[in-house]
Amino acid sequence: MMAFLNDHLKNKQKVALHVSGATKSFGKVDVLKGIDLKILAGERVALMGPSGSGKSTLLNCVCGIELLDGGTIHVGGQELSGLKRGELEKVRRENMGYVFQSFHLLPTLNAFENVEFAAQLVGMPKEQRIEKVTELFEQVGLSHRMDHLPNALSGGERQRVAIARALVHQPRLVLADEPTGSLDTESGNQVLTLLKTLSADLQVALLLVTHDHDSTRICDRVITMKDGTLLAS
Amino acid sequence: MLSPSRFQLVWLLLTRMTFRHWRSKGGHYILLIGIVAVGVGAFNGIRQASRSASENFGLFNQAVSGQSDFLIESPVQRLLEADLVKLSTLGLDPDWHLVPVIEGSVTAVKTGGVDKKQLRLIGLDLLALGNLPTLAQESLRFSDEDANWYDWLGHENEVWVGQKLADQLRVGVGDNITFLASGRLAKMKVRMILNDPDGNLPDDLVLGDLPTVQSLLSRPGELNRVEVVINQLDRREDTAYLGNIEKRLNQLLPVNLSLSPTQNRAADRSAMTAAFRLNLTILSLIAILVGAYLILQALDAAVVRRRAEIATLRSLGVDGSVLFATYLMEAFVLGLVGSIAGVGVGQVLALGAVSMLADTVNALYFATSVEALTLTSLDVIVGLVLGLLFSMLAGWLPARDATQTPPAQVLARGDWSPGFSWLRKPKVGIGLLVLGGVALLFPPFVMQAGSNMPVGGFLAAGCWIFGSALLSGHVLVLLAGWVRPFCMGPVARLACSRLRDGSSRHRLAVAGLVVAVSMVTGMFQMIDSFRGTIEEWFDVRFQADLYISESGVTGAGSVNGIDPKLMDELLKDPNIKYADVMRICYAKPPKGVTVLAGVDLEHWRDRARQIWLKMPGSLKVVDGAEPALVSETFARRFGVLSGGVVELETPVGRKRVSPLGIFCDYGNEFGMAAISAKVWTDWTGSNRPINVSLFLKDLSKLQETRDRLRIAYPGLDIRNERELRDVALGIFEQTFQATNALSLIGLAVAFAGLLLGLFSIFDESTQTWQTLKHLGFSTSRFVLAAGLEGAGIGVAAWVAGSITGLALGWLLVFVINVQSFGWTLLWTVPVESILWFGALLTGVGLFSGVISATYWNFRRR
């Protein structure tokens, strides 16, 4: 019995994202119709689907930007529903990383500072921060570009900086919304490889939203969404 | 890991982002700091200048001997030699010294490089002065060369001047200063130039022996006051001792004289100009207010420009309160740096404004001159606090707007304009309009000198201005809706549809302009109404052929008057049919001061033309009181519009005057009661006229008579009706100089705000413009559409601002003026000016739109 309970607790801790019976409507339009989804630590899941299928809404609900009408979302074991706005922001700050299609680097900070900034937000001590950021820059292959401002970097480089920023505070879950959408094929491939390697190394769960079937090759699972429901898992 | 505190996060955002934005747009932020500096500087400068201009009436003791302790005065501020005799027992007491003083304003003419300069001529009993305990302690010395101080007395017509004045007039020892006083042209000889190493002496001060000055002013046997200096200087702070001295002095004081601590006099004079200074303060606050509006627009533009950055921060988990605090801190830093710079700017502006304001005070209140500007620690604190307060208030809305920015995931979807959603709700605006109406019920606040401050009127003005500014967005939407069906081309349709949509930023741009437009339109009306009324008053009131007054002295309070002997001589002119001689002095009612005039009451009542508010005889004179014709201001101040009695202190005791008629008068705000000349002379012991109106026998010889009198009496101003009108209107224009200057500042700032607002609007519509570009919308079309958008904002601001301005005009004419000054003005609406203003606003709006769109387009490239 004890062994069962230990296993159960261990599994529970390993779950990075758990969405259960999630529903969401905008007016009379039901956008999410009872979504169930579980992603384990270190697991990479691709979320595909046509426009209007509810992908963005699901992502926003996972981030805590939109609130569910029904169901629950747990990130790193913490349930989001019922949290206040400030608490949701704290969860987002500490447990999640986000990679955007259009990078969204802060224009006044250089590449190093952009990554360091996310670590500062969670209160990482300076020495540890510098060490961690330097290490990440080595991993993303941009050690020679650390002091460049975003507008001096190529698209691929910017996205690699954004990946480093998403991972620097060791979140449970990284949400990547079309991370290769604005990149050429070669840069896109580099970014995907990087996401795969880093999420595996750091045991971070990855939810990759994409329209590109080729991008799903780095993922362990592919989920398709249509009309607010998950079709396949 | 310990999460950083909010303060640490705010500091991080400030240093890593805000200040880096500042660095990349250095010129922009220097301009913003400059705007705050000018706003705070205008406030501080006007504050300092008005203080310097209106409070420099320094007593002899303040200028020379440091300090006197008490003043002995008569209610009309004139003592006769007989009074001095009555004080003889008082002068024997060893605990104090009495220093009799005569003081008058004279005008130096054509001396050195100066054409005209108003001087303060002070006569002292130098023998009494020699015994003053303070003199030895002062750094000021009359001369090293005079071993015998009795030589100070010199000869008749000899005076002493300070080094500064000597330099200005380019005179040395033995030179003559030609001057005008009491209607006579005379000369005084410089006996000594006072040694004043510390520059303590004012640059308009001339000192002389008492009899010399009495002679120079043609006021033999007269004094203005007697100053009392206590002997034991170390007990000056001992209130019990001073109380005892005051008690003893009062016991020995003749009944017709009054004793007061010296500082009360400063307070009295200060109180006389309190309303004037308060009005200026309110006007100068507008400078800060418009500065704050620009800060609001600029910070709002910064929020819009940095929207993507804010959204990214939100998606990284930075919470709203941290963003709010960061933007508020940005406003704080802008305000702090700007306010500190504003202290310096204020000094520069004060230097420019002080002579202008001194001229106004001279014209309206009492003879004054410019004293060295002083910057007190209170000035610095008030400037800093106001600068910070207004900057932070201005930063509040953009900071709040920043917190409403969604995370990047949501923002990426399209244009975002959460902005000032409350501008879309009419409730607050309507509430303010109603509140303004209620404020009109408040009675005016009575100030120290008896002037009234129309608190309710000012509150109503504020409420109406801000209420209509909040509602002006609805006017914009309404107008755009009306015009929309007539818009055919794509450019006009686009511009109109955007105005019809009425984003918060469009509404904010209109609101800012409405504040400026309504204030300027209101001021237009008040000034035009004032001018029209005064011209009407002149047409009715001034029917005489020639008007004669003391030359050089313009102040309502500078009552040297004309030497009676000179007047008798003048009235012998063969072409004079009738002379309406007027005598005036200040009189003390229960509160403040007023003017008591001695006139030919019969002529005033039966023959002189006036604009009568109550015809003579329509009011019943109270038994035992002296019949008087009173001005409207007097009647309103003392509540005798329907008749009654006002008690006035005179040298012969308390006297009662009762109105028999009320006339309109725009000469001063203290009010005037005119009684018969004979009674006036009995009450005041004087016969000095202040002016005379001459009716001639042969009008064909008007110019000839005027020229003849001018040659015979060079110390008198002799003018015909037209010339007098020009002088009066000159004073009028002088009075409104500050108002006009501040209105212009307000307008300039409003237009700058419009430019900034349009930048924000275009920045926020980036995606729309990109889409239109892809649809083939050319740059020139974009610029034209932007111009039409700007013009639309200008038209809406003009319509809303003019309606509010009309209400403000009514308020200024019928409430604020009546309560402040007791003047009924004829309300004039300058339709032509308002129409021109509308055309100007539309043009400037169009121009602003074109300029901002061109620049925006250039920047995007």
Side-chain angles (χ1 to χ4, degrees), chain B residues 627-639:
Chain B
L629 288 168
V630 303
S631 70
E632 184 189 359
T633 312
F634 184 96
R636 287 189 191 279
R637 273 188 68 189
F638 304 111

Side-chain angles (χ1 to χ4, degrees), chain B residues 14 18 22 36 295-296 299 324-339 387-396 398-399:
Chain B
L14 271 177
T18 306
W22 283 31
V36 181
I295 299 293
L296 188 152
L299 286 179
F324 181 79
T326 307
Y327 275 87
L328 210 56
M329 277 302 288
E330 182 171 358
F332 177 85
V333 176
L334 271 177
L336 184 68
V337 180
S339 304
L388 283 174
L389 185 74
F390 277 82
S391 300
M392 294 198 35
L393 279 177
W396 190 274

Side-chain angles (χ1 to χ4, degrees), chain B residues 614-628:
Chain B
K614 295 277 171 70
M615 289 294 287
S618 64
L619 297 177
K620 191 174 180 308
V621 176
V622 173
D623 287 344
E626 184 60 30

Side-chain angles (χ1 to χ4, degrees), chain B residues 470-523:
Chain B
L470 293 181
L471 291 173
S472 59
H474 299 277
V475 175
L476 173 75
V477 172
L478 199 70
L479 288 177
W482 287 345
V483 175
R484 201 175 180 183
F486 304 102
C487 296
M488 299 302 171
V491 173
R493 290 184 78 167
L494 174 74
C496 203
S497 69
R498 284 169 58 80
L499 294 174
R500 176 88 175 82
D501 180 49
S503 76
S504 299
R505 273 180 185 79
H506 282 93
R507 289 165 193 256
L508 186 65
V510 180
L513 269 184
V514 163
V515 173
V517 171
S518 55
M519 286 194 318
V520 171
T521 311
M523 289 291 180

Side-chain angles (χ1 to χ4, degrees), chain B residues 168-190:
Chain B
Q168 273 185 26
L169 297 179
R170 291 189 215 149
V171 290
V173 173
D175 290 343
N176 281 317
I177 298 173
T178 310
F179 71 98
L180 301 166
S182 300
R184 291 185 187 280
L185 187 68
K187 285 185 176 171
M188 49 191 171
K189 189 175 177 185
V190 177

Side-chain angles (χ1 to χ4, degrees), chain B residues 242-291:
Chain B
L242 286 177
N244 183 34
I245 294 274
E246 188 173 3
K247 197 174 158 193
R248 284 168 54 203
L249 281 164
N250 268 322
Q251 281 168 354
L252 297 168
L253 203 66
V255 284
N256 63 326
L257 301 179
S258 64
L259 180 84
S260 58
T262 303
Q263 61 263 33
N264 284 10
R265 183 180 162 94
D268 283 350
R269 280 292 176 104
S270 184
M272 277 174 79
T273 54
F276 168 75
R277 285 180 291 122
L278 189 63
N279 280 325
L280 270 181
T281 305
I282 289 170
L283 282 172
S284 58
L285 269 176
I286 292 171
I288 299 189
L289 192 69
V290 291

Side-chain angles (χ1 to χ4, degrees), chain B residues 253-450:
Chain B
L253 203 66
V255 284
N256 63 326
L257 301 179
S258 64
L259 180 84
S260 58
T262 303
Q263 61 263 33
N264 284 10
R265 183 180 162 94
D268 283 350
R269 280 292 176 104
S270 184
M272 277 174 79
T273 54
F276 168 75
R277 285 180 291 122
L278 189 63
N279 280 325
L280 270 181
T281 305
I282 289 170
L283 282 172
S284 58
L285 269 176
I286 292 171
I288 299 189
L289 192 69
V290 291
Y293 170 65
L294 273 194
I295 299 293
L296 188 152
Q297 285 283 32
L299 286 179
D300 180 51
V303 169
V304 174
R305 235 180 8 253
R306 301 177 204 163
R307 184 78 74 196
E309 176 186 292
I310 300 168
T312 305
L313 290 171
R314 294 303 304 267
S315 64
L316 288 173
V318 174
D319 68 43
S321 63
V322 170
L323 286 169
F324 181 79
T326 307
Y327 275 87
L328 210 56
M329 277 302 288
E330 182 171 358
F332 177 85
V333 176
L334 271 177
L336 184 68
V337 180
S339 304
I340 291 170
V343 174
V345 173
Q347 286 291 96
V348 177
L349 291 179
L351 282 173
V354 69
S355 6
M356 183 176 87
L357 294 180
D359 287 349
T360 308
V361 173
N362 257 326
L364 296 178
Y365 298 96
F366 44 75
T368 184
S369 67
V370 178
E371 196 159 67
L373 291 163
T374 49
L375 180 69
T376 63
S377 50
L378 187 66
D379 290 335
V380 176
I381 292 167
V382 170
L384 280 178
V385 168
L386 280 176
L388 283 174
L389 185 74
F390 277 82
S391 300
M392 294 198 35
L393 279 177
W396 190 274
L397 294 176
R400 206 165 153 264
D401 184 26
T403 64
Q404 290 173 358
T405 305
Q409 294 90 324
V410 175
L411 185 71
R413 287 183 203 154
D415 291 346
W416 181 261
S417 180
F420 314 108
S421 52
W422 43 270
L423 278 172
R424 292 170 181 271
K425 296 172 192 161
K427 276 185 201 163
V428 184
I430 292 171
L432 279 169
L433 295 188
V434 174
L435 193 67
V438 174
L440 288 178
L441 302 174
F442 294 175
F445 173 71
V446 182
M447 300 178 76
Q448 210 180 338

